Amino acid sequence: MQQYQRNFIQLALDHQVLCFGDFTLKSGRQSPYFFNAGRFHTGAALAALGQAYAEAIIASGVEFDVIFGPAYKGIPLGAVTAVALAQKGIDKPFCYNRKEAKDHGEGGTLVGAPLNGKVLIIDDVITAGTAVREVMQIIESHGAEAAGVVIGLNRQEKASEDCEFSAIQQVERQFNIPVVSIVQLDNIISFLEQESQDSETLQKIVNYRQRYGVTG
C-alpha cells in the first residue's frame, strides 16, 4: 500500500467518512462499514482529498485531456482534483454538468472547459454503474471519449447476488476503460490489521468481503 493510500484511509476515518457499524445498503445488504464522501466538508479535508485523487491518477498512468466532474458529488471532487494536479505541474481543463439545462446566459448543461478529447471522470464511488453510463452518453454526444473513471473507494463486491462481477468490473468491460480507485476494500482491511485494536470490526469486514467479494 502506498503512503497516499494510507493517508486517504486515515483522512476518511478522521472525518467519519469511513464508519463502522451496521448499515443497510441500497442493495439491501447489511454492511459492517459505510463510506460517505459528503463528510469531506472542510477546506483542509477537501485539499487533502484532492491530493489523494491526484496521486492515484499519477500512479495509474492514465492519459487524459480534460477532467469531468458529474453532478453532484463529482463537481467538487473534480475541482479539487484539478487544483491538486495543477500544483503537481499537471494543469488540465475542468468541466462539469448541470442536472437541468439552463436556457439563459451561456445555456446548456455543461459548465467550464469544452468536453474534447480524452475525458477523465471523477466521482466518489460506483454503486450500480448507472451514473457512469449517463456520463458516457454526455461524453459521446460531444464527440469526446472517456479515458477512465477515478473514484475514492472500490468496495470489491458483487453487483448482485446472481452476478460474479462488481459494478466497477462491469463498467470496465462495457466501456473498455480503466476504473482507478484511491483505495479498495483490501487496503482498508490491511490498514485495520496494522492500526486497529478492534478485532471484532475487522473480522466482520473480512467476513463481508468473503461473502460478497469479487477477485480484483
Side-chain angles (χ1 to χ4, degrees):
M1 185 166 24
Q2 301 299 311
Q3 188 60 47
Y4 75 86
Q5 295 175 308
R6 299 185 66 84
N7 292 345
F8 176 78
I9 294 172
Q10 190 60 61
L11 182 72
L13 291 170
D14 290 345
H15 291 271
Q16 296 185 315
V17 170
L18 178 60
C19 298
F20 305 117
D22 187 15
F23 305 93
T24 302
L25 306 180
K26 287 183 179 179
S27 62
R29 294 173 184 165
Q30 295 298 121
S31 173
Y33 75 99
F34 189 69
F35 183 83
N36 179 9
R39 289 183 174 173
F40 287 123
H41 51 50
T42 69
L46 287 168
L49 180 61
Q51 292 295 324
Y53 271 91
E55 292 282 0
I57 291 167
I58 293 170
S60 75
V62 63
E63 297 183 358
F64 64 99
D65 300 308
V66 59
I67 295 167
F68 183 79
Y72 289 102
K73 283 185 179 179
I75 297 174
L77 294 177
V80 297
T81 299
V83 171
L85 284 169
Q87 291 171 340
K88 297 178 183 299
I90 305 171
D91 190 15
K92 296 289 187 178
F94 169 58
C95 175
Y96 64 91
N97 68 306
R98 299 185 180 95
K99 287 287 190 180
E100 303 83 20
K102 188 177 179 183
D103 59 6
H104 60 281
E106 73 275 23
T109 59
L110 297 183
V111 182
L115 208 51
N116 296 328
K118 296 181 178 179
V119 180
L120 188 62
I121 305 161
I122 310 294
D123 216 337
D124 57 346
V125 295
I126 293 178
T127 303
T130 305
V132 173
R133 292 179 179 90
E134 292 175 353
V135 171
M136 292 298 295
Q137 292 178 352
I138 295 172
I139 292 172
E140 291 170 2
S141 70
H142 285 78
E145 62 176 303
V149 184
V150 187
I151 58 174
L153 172 66
N154 177 355
R155 293 180 60 95
Q156 294 182 285
E157 66 182 76
K158 298 174 183 176
S160 61
E161 297 297 329
D162 57 353
C163 179
E164 62 179 307
F165 299 115
S166 69
I168 288 174
Q169 290 172 329
Q170 289 176 334
V171 166
E172 289 180 321
R173 284 166 169 74
Q174 180 178 353
F175 299 108
N176 194 29
I177 57 173
V179 175
V180 176
S181 61
I182 301 174
V183 297
Q184 53 189 16
L185 184 56
D186 285 345
N187 297 132
I188 293 175
I189 291 172
S190 296
F191 182 93
L192 294 176
E193 287 174 339
Q194 297 172 25
E195 305 291 341
S196 176
Q197 305 299 316
D198 188 351
S199 58
E200 183 179 353
T201 293
L202 174 59
Q203 189 58 53
K204 286 180 179 179
I205 296 174
V206 170
N207 292 344
Y208 186 88
R209 174 83 171 94
Q210 291 174 342
R211 181 175 180 182
Y212 298 113
V214 296
T215 303

